[in-house]
DNA sequence: CCTTGTGAATCGTTTCACAGCC
DNA sequence: GGCTGTGAAACGATTCACAAGG
């Protein structure tokens, strides 16, 4: 397959969210312009994004909300559920384990891990926190798809190494440290301090960041 | 000032984090190549990023770690502290309020707000949760710099409207809904479901996302 | 000799504009 | 007439490559 820009995938995710809301309001069709409005982009961008994957609309009519919704879900790989393990049951890990947005979107938390004995054995949203030392065995058994790292920065790389060695192919990193992962492993990072720093830059150098 | 790409600002934030660690190890100078290594980019990229703001190195020598660190902190606007209010004291809001990465980086949580009477009056890391109805008055009095929204999607836009009307110029949105804010207000969004969906796309369409 | 700073070249993404089709 | 799908043009970001300077 041709390379797809990350920005395109991110917008598809937004389109999907809007389509689901829009479908609930009873609308049957939608134009690229309306969809663009919702995601803060342009109609041409919407059509271009979709064109990488096929043609889903009818000229003069727009898109059938339901069909497009299904098509995007298929593009993103959301027809099947994905299983997620959360590593680190601190404040952020615990918050994520209980986050409804995950489960409703087809991401199932199948394990939460911590190294602190005080946390091991406690329950988070029905999942028992297990010992970090169980990781390799559990990954071999459960074959989870995605690992979410919610550990302190100095522990993150070692855990990323362990889970990728154990067979995980996708990592979402909430630790404030850039990670290295083997080729072939999908990696994303969410760094809250960096997000605040970008805002600070925006406030300091007014207008220096391109408008959104 | 000329427009600066968001990607440049994000990398500056990473460079700074690495410089701080590197300084602690006792190194006095660093080359663009070493800095690049740390942030997963190239030496040319590092030099180009810095060149938008001045010239900070010595040819043949590299950069003085301490000086560059100070220069980047100045570029990002981190010489002064920024005050932050968190709106929504649910799982994510509470986790953020207690997140050390914020405070150590010069971002001070000066208020936490919720609409749930059961949460109002409780304490999070020394800050008492206040009623959402106090927002306007408090913003007028404290003039916080940044609002972090940790509320459900259906409440997010109304609160964004309220805080921007009350004088907030920067918003960090953790709600899973795209927000509209008035011109001149800096806005960033962290959408955890979208991050997972990008990973799902990466797993589904192997190699379709450009390597990092 | 080593490494920066930077114009020029390249590469990728977004926007334009219009032909094609309902 | 309205809206999609898509090449072509414009724009923006990254990489190259080299002159300048310690």
């Amino acid at each position: 397959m041709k390379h797809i820009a990350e920005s395109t995938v991110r917008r598809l995710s937004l389109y999907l969210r809007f389509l689901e809301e829009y479908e609930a309001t009873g609308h049957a069709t939608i134009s690229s312009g309306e969809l663009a409005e919702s995601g803060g982009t342009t109609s041409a961008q919407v059509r271009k994004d979709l064109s990488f994957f096929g043609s889903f609309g009818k000229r003069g009519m727009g898109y059938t909300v339901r069909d497009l919704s299904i098509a995007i879900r298929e593009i993103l790989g959301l027809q099947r559920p994905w299983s997620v393990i959360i590593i680190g049951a601190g404040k952020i890990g615990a918050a994520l384990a209980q986050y409804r947005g995950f489960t409703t979107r087809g991401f199932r938390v199948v394990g939460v891990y911590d190294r602190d004995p005080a946390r091991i054995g406690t329950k988070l949203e029905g999942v028992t926190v297990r010992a970090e030392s169980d990781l390799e065995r559990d990954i071999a058994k459960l074959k989870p798809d995605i690992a979410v790292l919610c550990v302190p920065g100095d522990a993150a790389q070692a855990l990323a190494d362990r889970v990728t060695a154990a067979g995980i192919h996708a990592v979402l990193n909430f630790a404030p440290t850039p990670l290295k992962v083997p080729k072939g492993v999908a990696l994303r990072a969410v760094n809250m301090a960096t997000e605040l720093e970008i805002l600070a830059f925006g406030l300091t150098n007014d207008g220096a960041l391109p408008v959104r």
Side-chain angles (χ1 to χ4, degrees), chain A:
Chain A
M1 185 192 234
K2 213 179 151 305
H3 272 9
I4 299 295
E6 183 194 302
S7 49
T8 293
V9 181
R10 164 165 281 117
R11 283 189 300 265
L12 288 173
S13 164
L14 290 178
Y15 303 156
L16 176 57
R17 222 171 310 284
F18 184 73
L19 284 170
E20 287 171 347
E21 274 178 39
Y22 200 68
E23 196 178 353
T25 69
H27 292 79
T29 63
I30 191 170
S31 69
S32 56
E34 294 169 288
L35 208 34
E37 176 83 10
S38 82
T41 180
T42 65
S43 62
Q45 182 75 78
V46 170
R47 297 196 301 276
K48 183 63 94 184
D49 285 340
L50 293 172
S51 77
F52 295 127
F53 302 97
S55 61
F56 305 98
K58 286 205 202 10
R59 291 162 201 245
M61 305 260 94
Y63 304 86
T64 305
V65 177
R66 173 128 266 273
D67 293 352
L68 186 57
S69 186
I70 290 168
I72 294 179
R73 228 171 281 142
E74 188 140 335
I75 291 165
L76 293 176
L78 301 177
Q79 337 84 307
R80 76 181 195 69
W82 295 93
S83 57
V84 176
I85 58 173
I86 293 178
I87 303 176
K91 289 282 153 27
I92 307 231
L96 289 181
Q98 295 168 69
Y99 180 50
R100 294 309 216 79
F102 276 15
T103 42
T104 54
R105 270 319 194 113
F107 295 93
R108 286 209 289 251
V109 178
V110 299
V112 181
Y113 295 85
D114 205 289
R115 66 144 70 111
D116 179 353
R119 290 182 183 143
I120 296 167
T122 61
K123 280 214 169 194
L124 289 173
E125 198 79 1
V127 179
T128 303
V129 178
R130 293 170 62 73
E132 246 169 46
S133 52
D134 292 335
L135 268 175
E136 281 78 4
R137 209 174 327 148
D138 286 6
I139 292 173
K141 183 150 32 121
L142 295 171
K143 302 229 176 293
D145 302 297
I146 300 171
V148 181
L149 288 183
C150 307
V151 298
D154 53 16
Q157 184 64 59
L159 282 163
D161 293 346
R162 283 177 61 190
V163 297
T164 52
I168 290 271
H169 285 93
V171 174
L172 179 53
N173 178 33
F174 280 86
T177 322
L179 294 184
K180 293 222 165 53
V181 293
K183 234 168 122 10
V185 174
L187 171 69
R188 311 228 14 102
V190 174
N191 190 321
M192 284 162 311
T194 294
E195 298 302 327
L196 282 184
E197 282 167 28
I198 296 174
L199 287 177
F201 177 86
L203 288 170
T204 306
N205 312 72
D206 202 35
L209 280 174
V211 270
R212 167 193 346 280

